[in-house]
Amino acid sequence: MSAAVKDKVSEYLEEALGEPVDVVGLPEDTTLNALGLDSLTTISVLVSLLEDCGVDLGEHADSLVTPSTLGDLYGIAGRFMEADGESGPDGEEPARGQRSQLDYYQEKLAYEIDSADLRTALDEGQDIVVVDGRSSESYEREHIAGAISVPHRSISQELLSGYPRTPLYVAYCDGIGCNASTKTAIKLATAGFRVKELIGGLDWWKRDGHATEGLEAGRLVHHADCGCAG
């Protein structure tokens, strides 16, 4: 991430907290809670940043997904600072193609999470709800330890009214051959929840050696049917 983006983010954090904030050297997965920001302060920082960059909040409604880490905030700041004419690392404005590529990678980090980062976040006690968007039968066979079952086809406004808005929701499915996590993430985001999609789903979670639960947990069982049917 460019020094200009980090400096700008540091300015917003200092203004929100009323004291200097040194982000240099902090890893991008540092949570904003660890820096002293609660949910309301985080939203205030986000709105101030977007307004200063002249962002049309109606056109970029996706930007209102509340960031949870420094990396999330860097990604959003970098996306709109560059669009607003901020210069690149060499003092020159990035070409349109380069900006598009940077936007793509920054958005991936803002909306996706891998199994290692999820495991670390859970171990740190971060406020995360892991959501299994597959069918209830697939969930019963095996699922990520501690995950809740919310088949994507069952998601409705009435169902979601019972879930808290504060946590970050991480949606997953079987893996790269299944899109139930994407469908789940879309429905959660549409309803105003903060959500990320787990890269590789249950498959890569298991490949990385993390715990699962269910009737077939720990067994190498292949099923021809896909759990994305929901």
Side-chain angles (χ1 to χ4, degrees):
M1 185 57 58
S2 71
V5 169
K6 289 188 175 183
D7 288 344
K8 183 61 69 174
V9 167
S10 180
E11 290 178 11
Y12 285 112
L13 293 177
E14 289 181 9
E15 181 178 352
L17 296 172
E19 60 184 16
V21 178
D22 185 9
V23 299
V24 176
L26 290 178
E28 293 194 5
D29 61 357
T30 300
T31 65
L32 298 180
N33 285 341
L35 295 177
L37 277 73
D38 57 23
S39 58
L40 291 178
T41 309
T42 299
I43 292 173
S44 175
V45 169
L46 176 61
V47 171
S48 294
L49 189 157
L50 296 176
E51 288 180 345
D52 288 352
C53 288
V55 175
D56 184 334
L57 299 184
E59 180 182 354
H60 298 281
D62 62 310
S63 305
L64 295 178
V65 176
T66 309
S68 59
T69 66
L70 268 179
D72 294 342
L73 201 53
Y74 289 155
I76 296 171
R79 173 184 177 187
F80 292 111
M81 283 174 60
E82 288 162 2
D84 195 39
E86 293 283 348
S87 61
D90 297 324
E92 297 180 359
E93 183 179 351
R96 180 180 297 273
Q98 183 183 5
R99 288 202 303 271
S100 297
Q101 185 177 19
L102 290 172
D103 289 347
Y104 171 74
Y105 291 133
Q106 289 162 356
E107 288 176 0
K108 279 175 66 68
L109 291 178
Y111 305 128
E112 295 180 346
I113 188 171
D114 64 20
S115 60
D117 287 342
L118 175 57
R119 182 68 270 166
T120 298
L122 292 171
D123 289 343
E124 291 177 348
Q126 294 183 30
D127 195 4
I128 291 177
V129 176
V130 182
V131 179
D132 189 318
R134 304 172 302 155
S135 66
S136 57
E137 293 78 12
S138 295
Y139 175 86
E140 290 174 0
R141 285 199 296 261
E142 187 174 21
H143 57 268
I144 291 176
I148 63 173
S149 176
V150 186
H152 70 86
R153 293 183 187 278
S154 72
I155 296 176
S156 65
Q157 289 293 339
E158 181 179 2
L159 174 69
L160 294 179
S161 66
Y163 292 92
R165 298 302 180 105
T166 304
L168 169 67
Y169 287 77
V170 175
Y172 79 91
C173 57
D174 283 335
I176 60 174
C178 175
N179 64 8
S181 60
T182 302
K183 293 175 180 177
T184 303
I186 287 174
K187 290 184 177 181
L188 288 171
T190 300
F193 290 85
R194 294 192 301 125
V195 59
K196 289 189 177 184
E197 189 173 5
L198 179 62
I199 300 173
L202 180 62
D203 181 17
W204 279 100
W205 178 264
K206 293 167 61 177
R207 288 173 188 246
D208 284 348
H210 304 309
T212 61
E213 300 172 332
L215 299 175
E216 298 173 356
R219 294 171 54 191
L220 296 176
V221 181
H222 173 73
H223 296 281
D225 61 315
C226 176
C228 68

